[in-house]
Each structure stands twice: as C-alpha cells, then as structure tokens.
Amino acid sequence: MNAMSRISRRIFLAFALLVTGLAQAQLSIEITGAGANRIPVAIVDFPGDPVASRVITATVRSDLERSGLFRLVDHNSLAFDENAPINHADWKSKGADALAAGSIARSADGRMEARFRLYDSQKGVSLGGAAYVTSNTQLRAAGHRIADYIYEKLTGEKGVFSTRIAYVVKSRGQFLLQIADSDGQNAATALTSSEPIISPVWSPDGGKLAYVSFEKKKPVIYVHSLSSGQRIIVANFKGSNSAPAWSPDGRKLAVVLSKDGNSQIYTVNADGSGLQRVTQSSGIDTEPRYSADGGSIFFTSDRGGSPQVYQVGANGGDSRRVTFEGSYNVSPRPSPDGKSLAFITRREGRFQLAAMDLASRQVQVLSDSNKDESPSFAPNSRMILIATEIGGRGVLSAVSSDGRIKQRLTVAAGDVREPAWGPYYQ
C-alpha cells in the first residue's frame, strides 16, 4: 500500500470498525496524564435538593479533575450555600486556592435553580457567581456550565465542559452516528445505518452535522439538522464525494470530489448549490479544513510525491506547502484560535498526532500511540480529540495542545472512531 492510499482507506474501509457495544453506549474516560501545576480547588456540597446536589456537584468535580488542570481538595462532606460566611484562612490552610459553594432551590412547578459563588481563598475575595435554571433531566448540563465558569475564572480560558462530541460506532452490523457530552455521558444516536458513516463535522452554530454516508452504495455528503432530524444531500456527484468541512461562517462546505478525475477540493453552499473548484493538480487533493479566519483552506496532497499538508486561498489560486519534516503528514486541522495546526505524522512507522506552531513553524509530536487519525480541536484550542488504537482496539484520546494532559475515552467491549468536537454551547 502506498502512502497516499492510507488516506483513501478511511473512505472505503469504514466497515472495518468492529464494535459490539450497545447503541446507547457511554464513553468512559480515563485520565492518563495531567498538568504539572494543578490548581487546588474545593467544591463543597450544595444544600437543597439532595439528589440534584449530588448530580451537579459530582459533575463539577469530575469536569475539573479530568481537565488535568485542577486538583480537588477534600471538602470533608461540608455543605453550605453561596451566601454563607467563608473562613478563608481555614480553606487556605487546607491547601485550597479556590472554593466553590452553592445551593439548589426547587420551585412549585418542578424547575430548579442552581446557584453558586466562587472564592479566591488565598486573597479572601469573591470571584463572582451565577444561577442556572435547570430540571431533573438537565442537572448534568448545569454542572457543566458551573465547571465552565470556574475553569474560565481560574485559568483565563473559556471552558469546554458544556460542549458535545460526535463519533461513529458500529454495533451488530449497524453504524451509529452518536452525540455525547464532552465527558462521554448522555450518548444519543443521531443516525443509524446499515452502511458506513464517516467524517462527521459540526456546523459552527452546533445545530448541524455534515458527514459522509454510504447508504446509496457510494460516498455521499449529507447535512443533518440535529433538532429536526431532517437531512439534505449537498454532494452526490459522479464518483466519490467525501471529507466535508464547514467554513467558519457556516455558509459553505469544502468537499472532495472525484467527478472530474482525481480527487480535488471544491466548495459548495450549505444547501448544495454554488459548486466551485478550488484546487487544480494532477495529484490527489483531500482532507480540506478552513483556516480560523476562513480566508484559506489547509489540505492534504501527494502532488509533491508524498502526502503533505498544503494551503490554498478559499477561492482557489496558488497552493503552498506547509509541512516539510518527514515523508508523511496528513489530516490538517487548524486550531480555532488560528495559532497552531494539528495533523497526523508518520515517524518510524508510527502514525502520531503532531502540532505545528504556525508562527514559528516548530513541530511537536503530542501522542505516544501508533495509529492515530482524525484529529479534532476543542473550541478553546486547548485539547485535541483523536481516534487511535490501543491493544488492538479503537479508542478516542484527548491530548492537550502541549502534550502534557492526556485522556482516554472508550466504549465497553467495542471500538469507536471518527471523533468530532463540537463548538461552544449556544
């Protein structure tokens, strides 16, 4: 198999996903690496509805801990609300740099309000707070939003606990396009098909997924509304239709079509109209991704003899080569902040996640696995989700952009592939 054929293999060998998990299988997360200097924080129990309190506070604690940036300080089962007087010296002596307290209030109509306040125990001051209206079915969502608030106040970066991820599972001969919370919980199936589903990608507003389905016995690109379940075909030309990627404004998709011969990159409006060719080469051009500002498209091409990452203007023009280290660099994914580029590189026979600083052009290998693919940035650019293989089994991994923090997401007794990290909570 030549080097470029490994890229095409993802399109035509999606059936190789071997999963026996349940249709609603939950992803479980294992923290395999953490930051060197974690912030010690205490989350006390919230008074009020005891069941709701347990769910919300457990979600907050779990979110912060799995981020790899926080260390939970023992709260000794203490419970007090956001308005209680705080003995900051006591919490400081326990090693807590920050403390969160809150309460759960239930109204007569069954709705609840989760209130909380965050304190800087070292300075003895409040860092602010918020209140979220929730319900029995949205308790974990409230916990994620509280964790996002704490994360942003203490790190200066926007949290992504309230975001969602998409991925593909095969169960009992059925391919499942699933959507879950960022921690792998609350998994739901958006589409079930007897034919492969690959390359899901979120629209910028989080309301749609574009993906490739083989239900017509060939690769066809669909756009799927998650609220209504309605789908439209945006590319069903002669030959292969693959690798959709949204423009930052959500109006267009970059796609790969072979209708005119070799696979080349085109753009199309989100409703399937306005087809425009972007690249013109004698090689295979594939795996497009818009830059953060929407002005250009990164893509993979073998036009120089081996698969490398290139960049072209969003409306076409001359392309320039981006990667030069090694003979195999594919699957470019620019970070949402525009500062770095994730991709898969082959080093000594191992396919690993790497990242390039786009200003300095310095490249760092971030993973220690052997068969990485399909990188996807979190919307804050802090973490990168990838599919990989460990012990002969497909899993998802999340790696921080500096390579220090690592998580592993698995489905019991099965493989999971094709991850896509969704945008911020709308």
Side-chain angles (χ1 to χ4, degrees), residues 169-408:
V169 172
K170 185 189 175 189
S171 176
R172 300 168 186 167
Q174 296 291 305
F175 290 83
L176 311 171
L177 175 61
Q178 295 200 300
I179 298 170
D181 294 348
S182 64
D183 60 359
Q185 300 300 302
N186 290 335
T189 301
L191 178 68
T192 301
S193 175
S194 59
E195 300 295 333
I197 304 165
I198 63 172
S199 304
V201 60
W202 292 84
S203 63
D205 65 3
K208 300 181 180 68
L209 281 172
Y211 53 79
V212 177
S213 171
F214 284 71
E215 61 199 76
K216 294 185 179 296
K217 308 303 179 182
K218 60 172 285 188
V220 175
I221 299 173
Y222 291 80
V223 168
H224 186 133
S225 170
L226 297 177
S227 60
S228 68
Q230 182 180 5
R231 302 191 301 158
I232 63 169
I233 293 175
V234 296
N236 183 17
F237 297 95
K238 179 183 69 175
S240 175
N241 307 265
S242 63
W246 291 92
S247 63
D249 62 9
R251 295 179 180 178
K252 289 180 176 288
L253 289 161
V255 299
V256 176
L257 308 177
S258 64
K259 69 184 188 70
D260 298 318
N262 284 343
S263 293
Q264 296 287 288
I265 296 169
Y266 298 74
T267 59
V268 63
N269 294 331
D271 62 1
S273 66
L275 184 68
Q276 177 183 350
R277 186 164 177 172
V278 176
T279 62
Q280 306 270 352
S281 80
S282 59
I284 295 175
D285 296 345
T286 187
E287 300 185 312
R289 277 296 190 278
Y290 278 91
S291 61
D293 63 7
S296 65
I297 295 173
F298 292 90
F299 64 99
T300 302
S301 179
D302 65 352
R303 61 179 64 190
S306 68
Q308 297 291 340
V309 176
Y310 291 77
Q311 188 176 14
V312 67
N315 295 316
D318 293 335
S319 301
R320 67 182 183 89
R321 185 168 163 177
V322 176
T323 56
F324 292 90
E325 294 184 22
S327 61
Y328 186 99
N329 298 290
V330 302
S331 305
R333 303 290 192 269
S335 61
D337 63 12
K339 296 180 180 180
S340 63
L341 179 75
F343 57 95
I344 302 299
T345 186
R346 184 177 62 196
R347 303 286 176 94
E348 299 179 352
R350 304 170 67 188
F351 297 94
Q352 296 176 297
L353 175 67
M356 173 187 291
D357 183 298
L358 289 174
S360 68
R361 299 288 161 166
Q362 294 296 309
V363 174
Q364 178 186 3
V365 175
L366 302 179
S367 68
D368 53 9
S369 42
N370 298 320
K371 297 182 179 180
D372 298 342
E373 60 184 27
S374 307
S376 180
F377 268 100
N380 65 359
S381 303
R382 177 74 180 184
M383 301 290 290
I384 306 167
L385 191 62
I386 56 172
T388 190
E389 188 174 299
I390 297 176
R393 180 175 164 216
V395 302
L396 303 185
S397 290
V399 183
S400 62
S401 54
D402 61 9
R404 294 181 180 180
I405 300 169
K406 294 181 172 65
Q407 303 166 2
R408 187 176 303 159

Side-chain angles (χ1 to χ4, degrees), residues 3-246:
M4 198 66 182
S5 65
R6 187 175 186 270
I7 301 170
S8 300
R9 185 185 66 175
R10 291 184 59 249
I11 299 175
F12 296 104
L13 295 186
F15 56 81
L17 301 174
L18 304 176
V19 175
T20 58
L22 299 175
Q24 298 295 330
Q26 301 287 338
L27 287 166
S28 60
I29 293 184
E30 173 190 358
I31 299 173
T32 59
N37 298 306
R38 292 182 293 165
I39 301 171
V41 57
I43 311 295
V44 300
D45 294 336
F46 291 9
D49 187 284
V51 174
S53 175
R54 282 195 296 272
V55 173
I56 290 175
T57 55
T59 301
V60 174
R61 291 168 186 148
S62 176
D63 283 348
L64 296 178
E65 188 169 39
R66 70 183 170 83
S67 74
L69 297 179
F70 298 90
R71 176 175 58 82
L72 294 179
V73 174
D74 186 4
H75 64 289
N76 296 320
S77 298
L78 291 174
F80 49 86
D81 67 28
E82 68 280 8
N83 296 315
I86 307 297
N87 186 337
H88 291 290
D90 184 40
W91 287 102
K92 183 177 179 180
S93 69
K94 293 178 181 178
D97 284 358
L99 165 72
S103 61
I104 311 294
R106 186 183 291 272
S107 62
D109 61 5
R111 292 191 302 169
M112 286 175 280
E113 187 174 68
R115 310 184 189 104
F116 76 98
R117 185 166 294 277
L118 179 66
Y119 298 91
D120 183 328
S121 301
Q122 298 297 314
K123 297 180 180 179
V125 298
S126 169
L127 297 176
Y132 300 119
V133 174
T134 185
S135 64
N136 287 332
T137 59
Q138 294 294 315
L139 294 175
R140 299 189 76 259
H144 290 318
R145 295 184 70 182
I146 293 171
D148 281 337
Y149 184 101
I150 294 172
Y151 182 100
E152 185 170 4
K153 285 293 184 179
L154 298 183
T155 69
E157 298 176 350
K158 195 169 181 178
V160 295
F161 304 119
S162 295
T163 61
R164 296 180 292 173
I165 60 174
Y167 52 93
V168 176
V169 172
K170 185 189 175 189
S171 176
R172 300 168 186 167
Q174 296 291 305
F175 290 83
L176 311 171
L177 175 61
Q178 295 200 300
I179 298 170
D181 294 348
S182 64
D183 60 359
Q185 300 300 302
N186 290 335
T189 301
L191 178 68
T192 301
S193 175
S194 59
E195 300 295 333
I197 304 165
I198 63 172
S199 304
V201 60
W202 292 84
S203 63
D205 65 3
K208 300 181 180 68
L209 281 172
Y211 53 79
V212 177
S213 171
F214 284 71
E215 61 199 76
K216 294 185 179 296
K217 308 303 179 182
K218 60 172 285 188
V220 175
I221 299 173
Y222 291 80
V223 168
H224 186 133
S225 170
L226 297 177
S227 60
S228 68
Q230 182 180 5
R231 302 191 301 158
I232 63 169
I233 293 175
V234 296
N236 183 17
F237 297 95
K238 179 183 69 175
S240 175
N241 307 265
S242 63
W246 291 92

